[in-house]
Amino acid sequence: MVIYVVYACSREGKRTSQASTSLKPKATIRVGCKAKITAILVVLGTWRISTVHLEHNHETSPSKSRLYKCNRQLNEHVKRQLQVNDIAGISLQKSYNSAVVEAGGYENLTFVEKDCRNYIDKVRKLRLGEGDAASIEAYFSKMQALCPSFYFSVDLDEDSRLRNVFWVDNRCRQVYKEFGDVTFDTTYLTNRYDMPFAPFVGVNHHGQSTLFGCGLLSNEDTRNFVWLFRTWLQCMEDQAPTGIITDQDRAMQNAIEIVFPNTKHRWCLWHILKKLPEKFGNHSYKASILSAIHDVVYESHSLEVFEQGWSSMIEKYALHDNDWLSGLYTQRARWVPCFLKTSFWAGMSTTQRSESMNAFFDGYVHSKTSLKQFVEQYERAMRAKVEKEFQADVKSFS
């Protein structure tokens, strides 16, 4: 039972740390203020004030008292609003600004932005419950119970820690049967665990990007890509895509050769051409070389014209010893348009569809998104995607 209490000024006492020096003093609020009130319990329910010292040895500012930790609190209405906004993917800063407007100004708030952030972090931890790996599996199992065609696979390492995740819903599987001619995979968006996001994306009958499944990888090595591609192929009833567009990632290329030996593999043209300024940055004829490469790539409508144009360019600018260009030339069948025009690519030559899909998810996830949140927000993002396709269907119907 509490029988003695002291209400003291927050600036009472002195700092005892020796780490501070006269040259590098550490900030402290403690200035040895003696202001305090003490009380003793006399009998149950009755207290006697024993000490009253109201003089402070520093300036006071009652208007600042709302920012003191002991006076800050989130009411139930604000807590509920923060939770709803977090689930909807609204940033915490926007939620806080909304609360400021609702309260009629900062001076009427009983909390600061940091309190909101701490509360949301705590709620997210509660939402995770068993830990990310277990909660993701539990979430996927629930989705599978609701829809038996929902497919997921979780790859664990030797210590039973989460290594890779793949999932695809029934709609994506059906869409792939219709529009699976072209699919490609790039890894850009990352969450707070730095697990690259790997979407399989294609084009539907409205020319919109459509998802065929996606995964989260622990890192971008051949082993993980092989696992991802094999899992995806198994999910799609061993129906390999006719073509796949990626960047020049060597690990991804190795995995494609292992899992999709009969699939036409194309490199993203945009990724290659954007490296040109960097590769020829110090060359005295940089502008002319860049222009010549663009011309020979885009204006060559037959293999003969390309070969002739490429040779002329190499000769003119004495680029015989440029290893990067030599490597590109060796792999020209993977990226030069005239070598690829006999295959169907649904009008695509770059991975911009994947990147636009990543940009689409950016509205729902951010760098601090946890794994389970990511999967939950993916579901909301997909519902928004379906709605856009439905609107396009209505437009076509009309």
Side-chain angles (χ1 to χ4, degrees):
M1 185 188 289
V2 178
I3 59 168
Y4 181 77
V5 292
V6 180
Y7 288 101
C9 174
S10 63
R11 310 191 73 169
E12 54 105 26
K14 293 273 189 184
R15 177 188 282 280
T16 55
S17 170
Q18 300 302 311
S20 174
T21 66
S22 57
L23 291 174
K24 204 174 181 183
K26 286 203 172 178
T28 177
I29 65 163
R30 299 194 179 279
V31 293
C33 182
K34 296 280 196 287
K36 66 177 178 180
I37 296 175
T38 62
I40 301 167
L41 183 67
V42 182
V43 291
L44 196 61
T46 305
W47 290 79
R48 187 179 78 239
I49 305 291
S50 55
T51 308
V52 178
H53 194 297
L54 301 178
E55 296 300 318
H56 293 264
N57 68 352
H58 54 88
E59 278 188 59
T60 58
S61 179
S63 64
K64 294 185 176 69
S65 63
R66 66 184 179 83
L67 297 179
Y68 281 33
K69 203 171 181 179
C70 57
N71 295 331
R72 299 200 319 242
Q73 61 176 0
L74 292 168
N75 61 43
E76 291 306 313
H77 168 70
V78 172
K79 286 179 181 177
R80 176 70 188 139
Q81 202 61 48
L82 286 171
Q83 282 192 57
V84 169
N85 288 356
D86 184 52
I87 290 168
I90 296 169
S91 72
L92 192 125
Q93 190 179 10
K94 286 180 180 175
S95 296
Y96 180 67
N97 290 342
S98 170
V100 172
V101 172
E102 193 175 347
Y106 290 97
E107 65 279 2
N108 299 323
L109 287 182
T110 58
F111 53 87
V112 294
E113 189 172 347
K114 190 178 179 183
D115 299 323
C116 300
R117 198 170 297 284
N118 290 342
Y119 175 71
I120 285 300
D121 282 347
K122 183 182 170 189
V123 168
R124 285 173 180 170
K125 281 186 184 123
L126 291 173
R127 276 216 296 260
L128 290 177
E130 317 95 303
D132 261 351
S135 59
I136 277 186
E137 200 151 6
Y139 178 79
F140 283 156
S141 298
K142 184 186 85 175
M143 293 297 291
Q144 207 167 47
L146 293 171
C147 175
S149 297
F150 182 90
Y151 184 98
F152 75 93
S153 184
V154 177
D155 181 31
L156 304 174
D157 65 14
E158 298 75 23
D159 300 320
S160 296
R161 284 185 306 228
L162 189 70
R163 183 157 53 192
N164 303 307
V165 188
F166 171 79
W167 73 98
V168 56
D169 59 30
N170 181 52
R171 190 176 187 282
C172 293
R173 296 176 81 177
Q174 298 310 315
V175 166
Y176 178 71
K177 290 177 183 175
E178 299 292 334
F179 308 113
D181 311 274
V182 182
T183 178
F184 48 86
D185 161 76
T186 45
T187 49
Y188 285 88
L189 183 146
T190 55
N191 52 30
R192 72 170 169 210
Y193 298 101
D194 288 328
M195 290 181 79
F197 175 52
F200 291 86
V201 187
V203 178
N204 68 10
H205 52 308
H206 297 299
Q208 297 171 327
S209 298
T210 187
L211 204 63
F212 299 144
C214 57
L216 287 164
L217 304 175
S218 55
N219 61 64
E220 298 169 77
D221 62 17
T222 300
R223 183 220 166 274
N224 287 333
F225 280 126
V226 166
W227 177 87
L228 179 70
F229 293 155
R230 278 185 176 150
T231 306
W232 184 73
L233 193 59
Q234 183 183 340
C235 160
M236 298 303 180
E237 299 168 4
D238 290 328
Q239 184 186 338
T242 53
I244 187 163
I245 305 176
T246 72
D247 58 20
Q248 291 165 273
D249 186 276
R250 185 69 216 174
M252 207 187 291
Q253 187 176 324
N254 293 340
I256 290 169
E257 286 168 4
I258 293 167
V259 184
F260 305 130
N262 301 318
T263 295
K264 189 84 172 170
H265 180 203
R266 179 174 188 166
W267 282 348
C268 168
L269 189 56
W270 179 80
H271 272 103
I272 291 171
L273 297 181
K274 85 164 186 175
K275 291 178 184 174
L276 290 176
E278 173 200 334
K279 298 294 181 181
F280 295 98
N282 301 320
H283 203 286
S284 51
Y285 295 107
K286 175 185 168 183
S288 302
I289 291 172
L290 265 56
S291 176
I293 292 175
H294 275 85
D295 285 347
V296 76
V297 168
Y298 285 114
E299 301 302 327
S300 300
H301 300 297
S302 69
L303 308 190
E304 294 75 22
V305 172
F306 172 81
E307 297 291 355
Q308 191 180 341
W310 188 271
S311 299
S312 302
M313 177 192 70
I314 297 292
E315 199 68 45
K316 182 177 179 181
Y317 298 105
L319 297 170
H320 305 88
D321 298 329
N322 189 299
D323 294 337
W324 184 71
L325 275 184
S326 299
L328 282 182
Y329 180 73
T330 306
Q331 298 282 353
R332 58 194 180 281
R334 289 192 191 277
W335 63 278
V336 179
C338 64
F339 282 84
L340 295 155
K341 64 181 184 179
T342 54
S343 303
F344 178 73
W345 296 100
M348 297 179 291
S349 63
T350 73
T351 56
Q352 72 189 69
R353 293 272 174 178
S354 258
E355 284 156 43
S356 71
M357 189 61 79
N358 284 327
F360 175 73
F361 279 111
D362 274 342
Y364 293 84
V365 296
H366 46 81
S367 61
K368 290 193 172 73
T369 302
S370 71
L371 289 184
K372 181 161 180 283
Q373 274 181 297
F374 184 97
V375 176
E376 288 176 343
Q377 293 291 24
Y378 157 86
E379 197 189 336
R380 288 186 189 89
M382 285 309 298
R383 281 204 287 269
K385 203 77 178 160
V386 169
E387 175 60 22
K388 283 185 179 170
E389 187 175 316
F390 180 72
Q391 289 171 8
D393 281 341
V394 170
K395 200 172 177 183
S396 294
F397 181 74
S398 304

